[in-house]
Amino acid sequence: MTARYTLWLMPPPEAGERFARLIERLSRRLGTPCFVPHLTLCSAADLDESVAVTRARAAARHLAPVPVHLTGLSTGDSYFRCVYVLAERTEALLAAHRAACAHFGVDPAADYLPHLSLVYGDLAREEKERLVDEIGRRFDTRFTADRIALCAPAGPPQGWRLLGPYALEGRSAGER
């Protein structure tokens, strides 16, 4: 059976737990879905699960751990970009996006927007702005993501399946 898959860059445990608690708190308060904190690297459709897992594992062997700098809270008009934290578009993060896309046979997005979502949903603009005021617009969170996970996002977020995580085993340009 073929399905859609997304490849996620995972924050390390300490940062991941901190964001998971925030996502859960906001989800309970707003009645929005709860989900695992992540930065999406790429999406691919119409793959068999075994093929998707093979490609995710190959990507993990190739990709080096990725430094991530979360810089500011933002809001959007799409369900999956309702309220999110922007990640700085560093060459390392953009290279990880390009490499992940290559492993999955999809074109890199020219407008790739690396981010870590906090709220999925269709909230009114005023509600989103209240959240930004409450949480704070500025972030200065840095971590090195050293794992990816493969997500099968069928149905509502609470039913999504995660495969992995897979440790990033590649070397950065400075280590070669």
Side-chain angles (χ1 to χ4, degrees), residues 47-132:
L47 292 176
D48 288 323
E49 186 169 300
S50 62
V51 171
V53 168
T54 298
R55 291 180 183 188
R57 287 182 173 152
R61 284 191 301 275
H62 176 264
L63 290 171
V66 181
V68 175
H69 181 203
L70 300 177
T71 59
L73 201 60
S74 191
T75 64
D77 294 327
S78 78
Y79 183 86
F80 295 110
R81 288 191 192 158
C82 184
V83 179
Y84 56 91
V85 186
L86 286 166
E88 185 178 339
R89 286 175 49 99
T90 62
E91 183 49 40
L93 191 49
L94 295 174
H97 166 67
R98 290 189 302 267
C101 289
H103 280 281
F104 278 83
V106 296
D107 291 330
D111 61 349
Y112 175 61
L113 181 69
H115 67 280
L116 189 147
S117 288
L118 299 177
V119 176
Y120 289 165
D122 294 314
L123 302 179
R125 181 177 311 280
E126 297 79 26
E127 180 68 15
K128 290 188 271 191
E129 288 306 316
R130 276 194 296 275
L131 286 172
V132 169

Side-chain angles (χ1 to χ4, degrees), residues 11-12 22 26-27 30 79 114 124 143 156 164 168:
L22 178 57
L26 293 170
S27 171
L30 300 167
Y79 183 86
F143 56 79
L168 301 182

